[in-house]
Amino acid sequence: MGESLLARSYFDGIYIPAGLLVFGTIIVKREWTLYAAVLAVLLGAIKFWRIQPKKVLKPDSFQEFVLKEKTIISHNVAIYRFSLPAPTSILGLPIGQHISIGAVLEQPDGSTKEIVRSYTPISGDHQPGYFDLLIKSYPTGNISRHMAGLAVGQAIKVRGPKGAFVYTPNMVRHFGMIAGGTGITPMLQVVRAIIRGRAAGDTTQVDLIFANVTPQDILLKEDLDELAAEDKGFRVHYVLDKPPAGWTGGVGYVTADMITKWLPKPAEDVKILLCGPPPMISGLKKTAEALGFKKARAVSRLEDQVFAF
């Protein structure tokens, strides 16, 4: 995402040096002013090109990115920050899409196999120089266990962008989102983009149901609560399978009643987004259809009213 042409960095790095070059030439050698102006424009154009964000993702080939920082969230959850080639580099990942991580891993029978899994960064192209992945490692997971064993300085292989969903401002009036566990990452990506776009006229309303087992399992709860407090157009509703005493949110699995209570009613300008464990998504597709939403496909397309990441 490029800066405004009135940004401070442009004044400090391009406009002021160019102006000084021309002004100094006028004082010292007025007849060279035209040449100085041409040189100032040329140097300014080169500097402008150099400081523009450079997209690095390649959809058809893997590239290596080095782990720069690892922040432990819990015993099996961490945020992994990977360096991009330059401070101005960006992934070039459209909002709503994801990346593939590949690794050659040893299998139980002693053979090796390339495993590829999809992840959605919790950072965005407005944050150049790095990208962040929130990953929960499972005992039976392939890539998630591989990631848990990564040390700072080691690299992963990444390819992308991938995915059928690309967010554009005001594509719908109201999103209803349902996430389970690490399924929160694509939802957070879209919510943050909507809120960043408010100043430019994005009026999209969002209601998110976030389902987990216990309070300790609620990933990025502080971030979600901050966004909800900051923006009146975003509301988050928590559901727990094993709630503590005094819990005031939803209890059990996400039900038709919860969807009716918290999410928008079926309409042409409404879209339901789903992300979570496959059994959960399968059940929610049927529930949404029973509530009047258009039947979800096995593999979602951008135009679908019920879209599963």
Side-chain angles (χ1 to χ4, degrees):
M1 184 180 296
E3 293 181 289
S4 160
L5 291 176
L6 298 178
R8 177 68 182 269
S9 60
Y10 289 150
F11 275 96
D12 291 346
I14 299 176
Y15 306 149
I16 292 175
L20 289 174
L21 174 61
V22 174
F23 185 67
T25 303
I26 291 172
I27 294 173
V28 177
K29 198 105 174 165
R30 180 180 290 270
E31 61 270 27
W32 288 6
T33 300
L34 179 60
Y35 301 108
V38 172
L39 181 61
V41 170
L42 180 61
L43 293 175
I46 292 171
K47 182 68 180 288
F48 180 82
W49 181 82
R50 282 181 176 170
I51 65 176
Q52 292 309 297
K54 304 295 190 299
K55 297 179 181 180
V56 300
L57 276 179
K58 296 177 182 176
D60 52 357
S61 62
F62 281 107
Q63 299 176 83
E64 289 198 341
F65 299 100
V66 173
L67 181 62
K68 172 184 178 182
E69 193 179 319
K70 183 175 177 179
T71 304
I72 304 298
I73 304 298
S74 70
H75 72 285
N76 63 350
V77 179
I79 294 175
Y80 302 81
R81 175 163 292 184
F82 292 91
S83 295
L84 293 174
T88 55
S89 297
I90 59 174
L91 274 178
L93 187 70
I95 300 300
Q97 295 205 304
H98 49 268
I99 59 174
S100 293
I101 295 177
V104 177
L105 303 176
E106 187 174 341
Q107 301 303 296
D109 63 2
S111 65
T112 58
K113 182 181 178 184
E114 183 174 54
I115 306 295
V116 179
R117 294 288 183 269
S118 296
Y119 291 93
T120 302
I122 57 171
S123 56
D125 284 350
H126 61 294
Q127 299 162 297
Y130 66 89
F131 66 95
D132 290 341
L133 296 173
L134 174 79
I135 296 179
K136 185 173 185 176
S137 57
Y138 298 91
T140 56
N142 283 299
I143 295 296
S144 68
R145 276 193 300 124
H146 174 67
M147 295 290 288
L150 276 184
V152 170
Q154 291 184 302
I156 59 167
K157 295 194 303 179
V158 173
R159 183 174 65 194
K162 280 186 62 183
F165 186 88
V166 177
Y167 177 73
T168 51
N170 297 309
M171 65 188 295
V172 293
R173 172 179 55 85
H174 200 153
F175 278 120
M177 300 178 173
I178 309 175
T182 53
I184 192 62
T185 54
M187 307 303 185
L188 183 62
Q189 186 194 40
V190 173
V191 168
R192 282 177 169 162
I194 290 170
I195 293 174
R196 282 199 307 274
R198 295 297 192 208
D202 197 332
T203 60
T204 310
Q205 295 289 301
V206 182
D207 277 277
L208 163 67
I209 297 176
F210 190 16
N212 289 278
V213 179
T214 69
Q216 292 72 36
D217 296 313
I218 304 175
L219 300 171
L220 302 168
K221 186 174 189 298
E222 284 186 14
D223 298 67
L224 291 166
D225 290 343
E226 279 180 19
L227 290 170
E230 168 195 337
D231 190 272
K232 290 191 170 90
F234 170 57
R235 294 157 292 275
V236 58
H237 315 277
Y238 297 105
V239 176
L240 293 179
D241 195 31
K242 296 178 181 176
W247 175 254
T248 56
V251 176
Y253 295 125
V254 177
T255 64
D257 286 344
M258 292 177 190
I259 294 172
T260 301
K261 178 181 178 182
W262 289 324
L263 301 191
K265 304 293 182 286
E268 288 300 316
D269 54 0
V270 162
K271 194 183 284 285
I272 301 296
L273 304 181
L274 309 173
C275 193
M280 173 185 176
I281 299 307
S282 178
L284 288 171
K285 284 181 176 180
K286 293 172 185 171
T287 303
E289 186 182 357
L291 289 173
F293 291 95
K294 292 173 184 172
K295 181 179 173 66
R297 301 178 218 246
V299 178
S300 296
R301 296 182 188 171
L302 180 61
E303 64 269 20
D304 291 353
Q305 190 174 40
V306 177
F307 185 98
F309 286 98

Short mmCIF file of all heavy atoms in Angstrom, two decimals, residues 271-295:
data_model
loop_
_atom_site.label_atom_id
_atom_site.label_comp_id
_atom_site.label_asym_id
_atom_site.label_seq_id
_atom_site.Cartn_x
_atom_site.Cartn_y
_atom_site.Cartn_z
N LYS A 271 -23.29 -11.16 3.40
CA LYS A 271 -22.49 -12.35 3.14
C LYS A 271 -22.06 -12.96 4.47
O LYS A 271 -21.71 -12.24 5.41
CB LYS A 271 -21.26 -11.99 2.30
CG LYS A 271 -20.55 -13.20 1.68
CD LYS A 271 -19.30 -12.79 0.91
CE LYS A 271 -19.56 -12.18 -0.43
NZ LYS A 271 -19.96 -13.16 -1.46
N ILE A 272 -22.10 -14.30 4.54
CA ILE A 272 -21.64 -15.03 5.71
C ILE A 272 -20.28 -15.65 5.39
O ILE A 272 -20.12 -16.32 4.38
CB ILE A 272 -22.63 -16.16 6.10
CG1 ILE A 272 -24.02 -15.58 6.41
CG2 ILE A 272 -22.10 -16.95 7.31
CD1 ILE A 272 -24.09 -14.66 7.61
N LEU A 273 -19.29 -15.39 6.25
CA LEU A 273 -17.95 -15.95 6.09
C LEU A 273 -17.70 -16.98 7.19
O LEU A 273 -17.99 -16.71 8.37
CB LEU A 273 -16.89 -14.85 6.17
CG LEU A 273 -17.03 -13.68 5.20
CD1 LEU A 273 -15.87 -12.69 5.40
CD2 LEU A 273 -17.05 -14.17 3.75
N LEU A 274 -17.16 -18.13 6.81
CA LEU A 274 -16.92 -19.23 7.76
C LEU A 274 -15.46 -19.66 7.71
O LEU A 274 -14.87 -19.75 6.63
CB LEU A 274 -17.79 -20.44 7.42
CG LEU A 274 -19.29 -20.23 7.22
CD1 LEU A 274 -19.94 -21.52 6.74
CD2 LEU A 274 -19.94 -19.76 8.52
N CYS A 275 -14.88 -19.96 8.86
CA CYS A 275 -13.54 -20.55 8.89
C CYS A 275 -13.34 -21.27 10.22
O CYS A 275 -13.56 -20.69 11.29
CB CYS A 275 -12.45 -19.49 8.71
SG CYS A 275 -10.83 -20.23 8.38
N GLY A 276 -12.96 -22.54 10.12
CA GLY A 276 -12.77 -23.33 11.33
C GLY A 276 -12.59 -24.79 10.97
O GLY A 276 -12.40 -25.14 9.80
N PRO A 277 -12.68 -25.69 11.95
CA PRO A 277 -12.53 -27.12 11.68
C PRO A 277 -13.59 -27.61 10.69
O PRO A 277 -14.74 -27.16 10.74
CB PRO A 277 -12.74 -27.76 13.07
CG PRO A 277 -12.47 -26.66 14.04
CD PRO A 277 -12.89 -25.40 13.38
N PRO A 278 -13.23 -28.54 9.79
CA PRO A 278 -14.17 -29.02 8.76
C PRO A 278 -15.53 -29.48 9.29
O PRO A 278 -16.56 -29.11 8.69
CB PRO A 278 -13.40 -30.16 8.10
CG PRO A 278 -11.97 -29.78 8.26
CD PRO A 278 -11.88 -29.11 9.59
N PRO A 279 -15.63 -30.24 10.39
CA PRO A 279 -16.96 -30.64 10.87
C PRO A 279 -17.83 -29.45 11.25
O PRO A 279 -19.04 -29.44 11.01
CB PRO A 279 -16.66 -31.52 12.09
CG PRO A 279 -15.25 -31.97 11.90
CD PRO A 279 -14.55 -30.84 11.20
N MET A 280 -17.20 -28.44 11.84
CA MET A 280 -17.92 -27.22 12.23
C MET A 280 -18.45 -26.51 10.99
O MET A 280 -19.63 -26.10 10.94
CB MET A 280 -16.97 -26.29 13.01
CG MET A 280 -17.54 -24.92 13.33
SD MET A 280 -16.27 -23.88 14.12
CE MET A 280 -17.17 -22.33 14.25
N ILE A 281 -17.60 -26.37 9.97
CA ILE A 281 -18.00 -25.67 8.75
C ILE A 281 -19.13 -26.41 8.04
O ILE A 281 -20.10 -25.81 7.56
CB ILE A 281 -16.80 -25.49 7.80
CG1 ILE A 281 -15.71 -24.66 8.48
CG2 ILE A 281 -17.23 -24.83 6.49
CD1 ILE A 281 -16.16 -23.33 9.05
N SER A 282 -19.02 -27.73 7.97
CA SER A 282 -20.06 -28.54 7.33
C SER A 282 -21.42 -28.34 8.00
O SER A 282 -22.44 -28.14 7.33
CB SER A 282 -19.65 -30.02 7.40
OG SER A 282 -20.65 -30.83 6.84
N GLY A 283 -21.42 -28.34 9.34
CA GLY A 283 -22.67 -28.13 10.07
C GLY A 283 -23.22 -26.74 9.90
O GLY A 283 -24.43 -26.55 9.75
N LEU A 284 -22.33 -25.73 9.89
CA LEU A 284 -22.77 -24.34 9.76
C LEU A 284 -23.35 -24.05 8.38
O LEU A 284 -24.27 -23.25 8.25
CB LEU A 284 -21.61 -23.39 10.05
CG LEU A 284 -21.20 -23.29 11.53
CD1 LEU A 284 -19.92 -22.49 11.67
CD2 LEU A 284 -22.33 -22.67 12.36
N LYS A 285 -22.82 -24.69 7.35
CA LYS A 285 -23.38 -24.51 6.00
C LYS A 285 -24.84 -24.96 5.97
O LYS A 285 -25.71 -24.29 5.41
CB LYS A 285 -22.56 -25.31 4.98
CG LYS A 285 -21.22 -24.67 4.60
CD LYS A 285 -20.51 -25.52 3.56
CE LYS A 285 -19.22 -24.88 3.08
NZ LYS A 285 -18.53 -25.71 2.07
N LYS A 286 -25.11 -26.10 6.59
CA LYS A 286 -26.49 -26.62 6.64
C LYS A 286 -27.39 -25.71 7.47
O LYS A 286 -28.53 -25.44 7.09
CB LYS A 286 -26.49 -28.04 7.21
CG LYS A 286 -25.81 -29.06 6.32
CD LYS A 286 -25.66 -30.41 7.02
CE LYS A 286 -24.86 -31.38 6.16
NZ LYS A 286 -24.52 -32.61 6.88
N THR A 287 -26.85 -25.23 8.59
CA THR A 287 -27.64 -24.34 9.45
C THR A 287 -27.98 -23.04 8.72
O THR A 287 -29.12 -22.55 8.79
CB THR A 287 -26.85 -24.02 10.74
OG1 THR A 287 -26.54 -25.24 11.41
CG2 THR A 287 -27.67 -23.14 11.68
N ALA A 288 -26.99 -22.47 8.03
CA ALA A 288 -27.21 -21.22 7.29
C ALA A 288 -28.28 -21.41 6.22
O ALA A 288 -29.15 -20.55 6.04
CB ALA A 288 -25.90 -20.74 6.67
N GLU A 289 -28.24 -22.55 5.53
CA GLU A 289 -29.23 -22.81 4.50
C GLU A 289 -30.63 -22.92 5.11
O GLU A 289 -31.61 -22.38 4.56
CB GLU A 289 -28.88 -24.11 3.76
CG GLU A 289 -29.79 -24.38 2.57
CD GLU A 289 -29.47 -25.68 1.87
OE1 GLU A 289 -28.50 -26.38 2.27
OE2 GLU A 289 -30.20 -26.02 0.91
N ALA A 290 -30.72 -23.57 6.27
CA ALA A 290 -32.02 -23.71 6.96
C ALA A 290 -32.57 -22.36 7.40
O ALA A 290 -33.79 -22.19 7.52
CB ALA A 290 -31.87 -24.64 8.16
N LEU A 291 -31.67 -21.39 7.62
CA LEU A 291 -32.09 -20.05 8.06
C LEU A 291 -32.44 -19.14 6.88
O LEU A 291 -32.81 -17.98 7.09
CB LEU A 291 -30.99 -19.41 8.90
CG LEU A 291 -30.77 -20.01 10.29
CD1 LEU A 291 -29.54 -19.41 10.95
CD2 LEU A 291 -32.00 -19.79 11.17
N GLY A 292 -32.30 -19.63 5.65
CA GLY A 292 -32.71 -18.84 4.50
C GLY A 292 -31.59 -18.32 3.64
O GLY A 292 -31.83 -17.63 2.63
N PHE A 293 -30.33 -18.63 4.01
CA PHE A 293 -29.21 -18.22 3.16
C PHE A 293 -29.10 -19.20 1.99
O PHE A 293 -29.51 -20.35 2.09
CB PHE A 293 -27.91 -18.21 3.97
CG PHE A 293 -27.84 -17.12 4.99
CD1 PHE A 293 -28.21 -17.36 6.31
CD2 PHE A 293 -27.43 -15.84 4.64
CE1 PHE A 293 -28.17 -16.35 7.26
CE2 PHE A 293 -27.39 -14.83 5.58
CZ PHE A 293 -27.76 -15.08 6.91
N LYS A 294 -28.53 -18.71 0.90
CA LYS A 294 -28.39 -19.57 -0.28
C LYS A 294 -27.46 -20.74 0.02
O LYS A 294 -26.47 -20.58 0.74
CB LYS A 294 -27.83 -18.75 -1.46
CG LYS A 294 -28.83 -17.70 -1.96
CD LYS A 294 -28.21 -16.79 -3.01
CE LYS A 294 -29.19 -15.69 -3.40
NZ LYS A 294 -28.56 -14.68 -4.28
N LYS A 295 -27.78 -21.88 -0.55
CA LYS A 295 -27.01 -23.11 -0.30
C LYS A 295 -25.54 -22.90 -0.65
O LYS A 295 -25.20 -22.40 -1.73
CB LYS A 295 -27.59 -24.25 -1.14
CG LYS A 295 -26.89 -25.60 -0.94
CD LYS A 295 -27.56 -26.67 -1.79
CE LYS A 295 -26.80 -27.99 -1.76
NZ LYS A 295 -26.81 -28.62 -0.44
#
